[in-house]
Amino acid sequence: MTVTPAPLPDARPAVRLGVAFVPTTPPESLRSLAIAVEAAGLDDLWVWEDCFKQSGVASAAAALAWTERIHVGIGLMPAPLRSTALTAMEVATLGRMFPGRFVPAVGHGVQEWMGQAGVRVDSPLALLREHTEALRRLLAGDEVTTSGRYVTLDRVRLDWPAPDVPLVLGGVGPRSVALAGELGDGLVLANGRTTDEVRAAADAATDAALAAGRPVPDVYATLIAATGPGAQDRLDAELPLWGAQPGRGIGAAGDARTLADGVLRLAAAGASAVAVQPTVDEPDLAGFVELLGREVRPLLDQA
């Protein structure tokens, strides 16, 4: 069956709306979700690269191929797990194959997982800085020779660079957030953040960008959400899975108006885009995505 994407409204809201595909869902379910996100008229689909679950690059490539319009982001590729040259090759390839639609993000990765994989480093911040600086130059088409603490390249140049691909950084701590503002085109935040935490991170990234003479970065936030019967109980059960506690105003549970208000709160805190993350026990994922497009999206357009 061919699914025709819903037409986009003429006026776009101030915040992009998307869906987060988290690796608690099996990889084989991604195709139907990607198609549903596009059919619902949403903007973005974010895939994850959690160890040792799913490949972010493979997931993003497939989702981009199955769709024609939506942006697909990876949040995020752990710098210790991937060589800088390989990351540049993969990012440039997808950026050229799907121009204007791929949003890659790099970050530290979960340190426990990096230790399990045998790639944990003494200074994740130093690695991320070296990785990002070299990666940006490679994507721009430069020949790069560098010998840093962690990143070493000898006359590496991409045959097929992709200078227009945005380079987003992920982080939680203040120094990581500042680095995203200094070096990145955007900041992708972990899920399970309060509105105040999103605002503080957005402000810190903006301050760092302005101090470095760079444009204000986009900020990508996540709203964990549930709707339908037992929505609040399901949300309260979901939050601890991501290190968050109920009762702190994290996430949204209820009808379309409640979900839209949750998105708008994050937008008011500085988020440029919000990916809505359904709960692990979401009984009707296709219906959830359709609700976002049919009912939540118009409420954002009206705001």
Side-chain angles (χ1 to χ4, degrees), residues 95-221:
R96 293 180 70 103
M97 291 173 69
F98 304 99
R101 297 180 53 211
F102 179 45
V103 185
V106 296
H108 303 303
V110 175
Q111 294 307 294
E112 180 182 354
W113 293 340
M114 298 303 100
Q116 287 180 268
V119 294
R120 187 169 182 169
V121 298
D122 292 333
S123 177
L125 195 70
L127 168 57
L128 186 57
R129 175 179 289 279
E130 292 180 11
H131 181 80
T132 303
E133 289 175 340
L135 182 57
R136 185 175 291 283
R137 291 182 60 198
L138 289 170
L139 294 174
D142 295 345
E143 180 179 281
V144 180
T145 295
T146 184
S147 180
R149 182 174 177 182
Y150 298 111
V151 176
T152 299
L153 299 171
D154 181 17
R155 295 168 295 147
V156 176
R157 184 198 299 270
L158 297 182
D159 283 6
W160 302 102
D164 296 329
V165 175
L167 188 55
V168 177
L169 274 66
V172 175
R175 292 190 297 169
S176 299
V177 168
L179 188 68
E182 177 189 347
L183 299 181
D185 300 308
L187 166 66
V188 59
L189 296 170
N191 63 357
R193 304 290 99 181
T194 66
T195 303
D196 287 343
E197 288 169 338
V198 171
R199 180 178 292 106
D203 290 346
T206 296
D207 289 345
L210 295 176
R214 292 185 52 79
V216 173
D218 290 322
V219 175
Y220 301 91

Side-chain angles (χ1 to χ4, degrees), residues 26-115:
E28 57 269 26
S29 64
L30 177 58
R31 185 176 189 274
S32 60
L33 178 63
I35 292 172
V37 168
E38 180 148 285
L42 302 179
D43 299 297
D44 306 322
L45 173 65
W46 281 85
V47 299
W48 287 21
E49 186 163 82
D50 274 6
C51 299
F52 301 92
K53 298 175 176 67
Q54 298 176 25
S55 161
V57 173
S59 298
L64 286 162
W66 289 323
T67 57
E68 296 181 356
R69 177 189 54 78
I70 58 173
H71 289 71
V72 177
I74 303 178
L76 45 73
M77 294 177 284
L81 200 60
R82 296 177 169 276
S83 79
T84 305
L86 176 61
T87 302
M89 292 163 58
E90 291 178 324
V91 168
T93 298
L94 288 179
R96 293 180 70 103
M97 291 173 69
F98 304 99
R101 297 180 53 211
F102 179 45
V103 185
V106 296
H108 303 303
V110 175
Q111 294 307 294
E112 180 182 354
W113 293 340
M114 298 303 100

